[in-house]
Amino acid sequence: MKFTTLKALGTSAAISLMAASSVWGAECIAPANPGGGWDFTCRQIGKILYDIGQVDAPVQVTNMAGAGGGLAYSTVVAERNTDPELIVAASSATTTRLAQKAYGDATADQVRFVGAIGADPGVIVVAADSPFQNLSDMVEAIKADPASVAFAGGSAAGGFDHMKPLQVLKAGGFSDITSVKYIGVDGGADAITQTVGGFTQAMTGDMSEIVGFLKSGEVRALAVLTEERVPGFEDIPTAKEQGFDVVAVNWRGLYVPGGISDEDFQKWADRLQAVADSAEWKQAMTDNGLAPFTKVGGDFQSWIDGVVAQTEELSREIGVIQ
């Protein structure tokens, strides 16, 4: 459209015309800086939604770091509660922080959890030259001397990464979990650096964080915390097959504003299911060490409620909350 035509329309009409023909459609908020898991979720799901024709325009990704996801959560609840074109990346970290009141008085029912369509398997990792060859070696060492093994993880004390080795230890009959040393650092890469450098004896995190380090031979994975071995990483045994009945996956999914209609909620659930079923998503999971994990719609919300209750219980046990 030529400038003269816009001028003839009048300023306000021209502005509304330009807004209507915006290059962006829906918006996905990643509650963290670029490069992390939430950013990956927004960019991958957003791209595939457009590529497979589920949305008419590319999905705009907005990075809104702050308070471990709390800034995005409070912004959605307070300012965008009825926006039907907004989706927000979420994961197990979201429910952990809600369970532990890390977002203040925020509760899980203030938004609507649409679904998860993949899971980053939890892993327990050691440096390549570690004396520990399997989970039992590590658990027995901790039983003998709890101070001898320190874990590094990408979440704060009491966060999801911290919970993983505690669940393994409890499954192995070790009850003094408050004596276990955990160092929370800023992301999985930093946690691996701590472990490779010998500052900690193990790293607790997600598969996607360790893929590059596994390939370079800097680390060994003692266990993956899934029901079955992960496609593409079949050489890593599960904790369950080593006798520790623990499944801890960092699901990748979305929530939407709590005030949108049931119809709009279902529309996003259907779109997310379409992404889950696509060849493009299956390839993205393979490339990034994600395991299949699809829970979409109403049953996902009820599953979330159960997870929050379980997390509250373990958090009280370790003294993170009263």
Side-chain angles (χ1 to χ4, degrees):
M1 186 181 281
K2 292 181 180 175
F3 174 72
T4 49
T5 317
L6 279 174
K7 192 175 177 184
L9 279 168
T11 309
S12 61
I15 289 170
S16 62
L17 177 73
M18 290 164 75
S21 62
S22 166
V23 295
W24 301 110
E27 178 185 1
C28 187
I29 293 178
N33 290 322
W38 285 332
D39 185 64
F40 165 84
T41 299
C42 270
R43 292 184 193 281
Q44 285 289 337
I45 292 177
K47 180 180 186 302
I48 294 171
L49 281 167
Y50 183 60
D51 288 349
I52 65 175
Q54 287 293 312
V55 291
D56 297 331
V59 176
Q60 176 186 355
V61 176
T62 303
N63 290 94
M64 190 182 291
L71 176 61
Y73 202 88
S74 61
T75 300
V76 172
V77 171
E79 299 173 22
R80 303 185 63 180
N81 184 50
T82 57
D83 188 342
E85 294 301 312
L86 179 66
I87 51 179
V88 188
S91 65
S92 300
T94 313
T95 47
T96 299
R97 287 164 188 161
L98 284 166
Q100 296 175 345
K101 302 297 182 192
Y103 296 165
D105 294 330
T107 54
D109 59 2
Q110 289 177 301
V111 300
R112 301 184 72 172
F113 285 86
V114 176
I117 63 166
D120 210 344
V123 287
I124 306 287
V125 171
V126 294
D129 59 356
S130 168
F132 302 141
Q133 297 303 313
N134 51 50
L135 270 191
S136 293
D137 288 352
M138 189 184 74
V139 171
E140 291 307 314
I142 292 170
K143 284 180 175 177
D145 179 7
S148 66
V149 177
F151 293 90
S155 67
F160 190 54
D161 285 340
H162 187 185
M163 296 287 182
K164 292 167 192 169
L166 298 185
Q167 287 176 277
V168 169
L169 286 160
K170 284 193 76 173
F174 182 76
S175 56
D176 187 18
I177 54 174
T178 54
S179 68
V180 178
K181 293 203 292 189
Y182 174 83
I183 298 167
V185 293
D186 194 15
D190 286 358
I192 287 179
T193 301
Q194 292 282 321
T195 304
V196 172
F199 300 104
T200 59
Q201 287 67 50
M203 178 264 186
T204 161
D206 299 327
M207 179 68 83
S208 65
E209 296 171 323
I210 69 162
V211 171
F213 297 94
L214 278 176
K215 288 177 178 171
S216 67
E218 293 173 85
V219 298
R220 284 186 290 110
L222 296 184
V224 60
L225 307 178
T226 45
E227 293 282 355
E228 298 172 6
R229 295 195 184 199
V230 178
F233 298 88
E234 286 87 357
D235 57 326
I236 304 173
T238 66
K240 289 185 81 165
E241 68 188 82
Q242 297 180 67
F244 302 88
D245 190 8
V246 175
V247 173
V249 298
N250 191 1
W251 52 266
R252 301 292 185 195
L254 302 171
Y255 67 81
V256 290
I260 70 171
S261 68
D262 289 347
E263 187 182 355
D264 284 323
F265 174 81
Q266 191 57 48
K267 186 169 26 174
W268 280 115
D270 293 343
R271 286 169 173 171
L272 194 59
Q273 185 66 54
V275 173
D277 295 338
S278 70
E280 289 87 343
W281 178 248
K282 288 177 175 65
Q283 187 60 50
M285 287 198 296
T286 301
D287 292 345
N288 293 278
L290 293 182
F293 185 84
T294 306
K295 289 182 188 293
V296 175
D299 65 331
F300 181 61
Q301 181 71 59
S302 54
W303 181 79
I304 287 286
D305 295 339
V307 168
V308 170
Q310 286 173 347
T311 307
E312 279 183 20
E313 191 181 332
L314 187 56
S315 299
R316 283 198 177 87
E317 203 173 320
I318 61 172
V320 175
I321 54 175
Q322 300 306 309

